[in-house]
Amino acid sequence: MAVNPAPGAPSLKIQGVTSLADLLLANAPHDASFELCTPGVHAIRASRPTTELVHGLQQPALCIIAQGAKTVMLGTETYEYDASRLLIFSVDLPIAGQVRQASASKPYLCLRLDIDPHRIAELALKVYPNGIPQVQEARAIYLAQASAAIIDAAVRLMALMSNPTEANLLAPLLMDEILIRLLRSPVGGRLAQIGNIGSHTHRVAKAVTWVRQNFEQAIKIETLANMAHMSASSLHQHFKAVTSMSPVKYQKVLRLQEARRLMVSQGMEVSTASQRVGYVSPSQFSREYARHFGNAPTRDIAMLRGQARQERNLAKQLKPIHKL
C-alpha cells in the first residue's frame, strides 16, 4: 500500500530540486555559464532577471531549472519553464531567452546537459527493442515534467563534479540514466527521433547543420533537399515544422546573430560585419537587423556594450551568499 507523505512534508521531488540548486550554486560562483569537469555538463547562474532578450544558437540539449524561471522564444512561439519542468532542444535552433525570476538571494540556476544524437540512437535501441514508436513529429523544442527520478539522477551527477576522478568514471553512466528515463517518459518517442535515421527530425537536422556551417552562402533548396533525402516541397514543410522557420528565414536569423556577435566581441564595423555574414546590401542588413533586434545596429551595439559594463560592475559588487 502506498503511504502518503505527512501533511506539510516536502516531497522527494522538492527536496531533490533544493539539493540540485545547492549543487549548482556551488559550481557556479558568479553569474555565467560554467562547463564543469565532465564535458557537456554546464551550470548556469543569473542573479537578476534580464530586461532584454538574449539571442543565441542553442544546440541539442536538456535544460533543468532548479531555481527561478525563464522564457524561451523560437520565432513567434514562447516557452516558459521553471523548477517544475524541463526543456529539450533536439536540433540547432536560433532562439531568444529571458530570465524571468532571479535575485541575489535566490539566483536563477539551471543544469544544461548537451545531447549527443548518436548516444540517443544507441540508448533508444535498448529502450525500444521492438522499434521506436511512431509519433507526430513537431517542434525541435518541447517542455516536459521534471520527474523526481530525473531530478535525483541530476543531483547525483552534480554531486560528482567536485571529484573529477569519480566524475570521469561515473558521470557518463548518470547522463545515460537521465536520457533513459527521458526516453521512457511521455516525451520519449519524440526524443528518440533525434537519433532515428529515418525520422523527419533526423533528416531536417542534416539540412540544419549544413545551413549553420555555411550560413554566409546562398541557399539552394534543391541541394538541401537532396542532402535530407526529401523533395524540395517536403523539406520546406518539415524544416518549418521542426524549426518554426523556413530554411531562408533560419539562415537570416543565423546571419543576424553572427553579425551581432562580431560587432560586440570584435568591434567590427556594421558594413564589415554585414558582408562577413553574407549580406550584399548594407541597407537591407540594417533594415532586417532592426526588425529582428528592435534597434538599428549602431544603437543596439552601444546598448549591449553599456549593459555589459553594468553587469561587470555589478559582478564586482556581489559577494558569495551561499556555500556548501
Side-chain angles (χ1 to χ4, degrees):
M1 177 183 296
V3 179
N4 293 324
S11 69
L12 290 177
K13 179 177 175 180
I14 293 175
Q15 291 176 344
V17 170
T18 301
S19 297
L20 182 59
D22 289 340
L23 289 163
L24 287 167
L25 198 59
N27 285 276
H30 56 82
D31 290 1
S33 176
F34 297 85
E35 183 164 22
L36 305 182
C37 62
T38 298
V41 180
H42 308 258
I44 303 170
R45 172 176 174 165
S47 296
R48 58 176 178 169
T50 50
T51 56
E52 301 289 338
L53 289 171
V54 178
H55 297 260
L57 181 69
Q58 176 62 62
Q59 296 180 327
L62 162 67
C63 297
I64 304 174
I65 291 182
Q67 191 167 269
K70 185 174 184 178
T71 297
V72 172
M73 296 186 66
L74 176 65
T76 59
E77 298 172 355
T78 300
Y79 301 81
E80 297 185 356
Y81 71 121
D82 51 26
S84 67
R85 291 181 288 183
L86 52 83
L87 196 62
I88 300 171
F89 302 88
S90 58
V91 302
D92 298 337
L93 293 172
I95 63 168
Q98 190 169 21
V99 173
R100 292 187 292 108
Q101 292 180 14
S103 66
S105 59
K106 295 192 68 174
Y108 165 83
L109 297 166
C110 176
L111 169 64
R112 192 184 88 223
L113 302 179
D114 296 339
I115 292 178
D116 179 3
H118 298 293
R119 190 59 184 154
I120 291 291
E122 293 170 354
L123 294 175
L125 290 175
K126 298 178 181 180
V127 175
Y128 302 109
N130 298 319
I132 295 173
Q134 296 294 317
V135 297
Q136 184 67 39
E137 295 182 62
R139 292 286 184 265
I141 176 174
Y142 41 99
L143 290 163
Q145 289 296 320
S147 69
I150 289 175
I151 294 296
D152 177 65
V155 168
R156 287 182 280 120
L157 173 65
M158 284 300 304
L160 290 172
M161 295 300 105
S162 61
N163 189 328
T165 301
E166 288 193 358
N168 185 53
L169 295 170
L170 299 175
L173 302 178
L174 286 169
M175 293 174 75
D176 280 355
E177 178 184 342
I178 292 171
L179 293 177
I180 288 171
R181 292 189 181 280
L182 277 175
L183 285 166
R184 287 172 53 82
S185 75
V187 299
R190 291 181 64 182
L191 180 63
Q193 305 306 315
I194 300 175
N196 182 8
I197 295 177
S199 72
H200 291 135
T201 298
H202 190 274
R203 294 183 195 179
V204 168
K206 287 185 176 181
V208 164
T209 298
W210 188 92
V211 175
R212 178 174 59 81
Q213 294 175 346
N214 303 276
F215 60 82
E216 74 284 355
Q217 299 182 27
I219 283 183
K220 294 183 178 179
I221 298 299
E222 293 76 13
T223 301
L224 286 180
N226 290 335
M227 193 180 303
H229 304 290
M230 295 179 176
S231 66
S233 60
S234 180
L235 172 68
H236 191 278
Q237 173 188 347
H238 292 294
F239 196 104
K240 191 166 185 178
V242 169
T243 69
S244 86
M245 312 172 203
S246 69
V248 173
K249 173 67 173 178
Y250 183 96
Q251 178 195 45
K252 180 190 297 184
V253 175
L254 289 186
R255 285 179 168 184
L256 293 171
Q257 287 188 354
E258 175 62 9
R260 196 188 207 199
R261 186 192 70 81
L262 291 172
M263 289 185 287
V264 171
S265 64
Q266 299 184 21
M268 196 172 287
E269 295 293 332
V270 173
S271 58
T272 305
S274 67
Q275 292 175 2
R276 178 72 63 86
V277 300
Y279 276 87
V280 176
S281 168
S283 59
Q284 180 186 2
F285 169 76
S286 294
R287 286 194 303 272
E288 294 184 351
Y289 188 102
R291 190 178 302 122
H292 185 70
F293 293 117
N295 283 297
T298 303
R299 177 177 173 78
D300 181 58
I301 299 306
M303 291 174 59
L304 289 174
R305 288 173 179 162
Q307 291 171 7
R309 284 193 296 271
Q310 291 178 357
E311 290 173 0
R312 285 195 297 270
N313 293 335
L314 181 62
K316 292 178 181 179
Q317 298 171 11
L318 291 175
K319 297 180 179 179
I321 58 173
H322 179 89
K323 290 185 179 180
L324 286 181

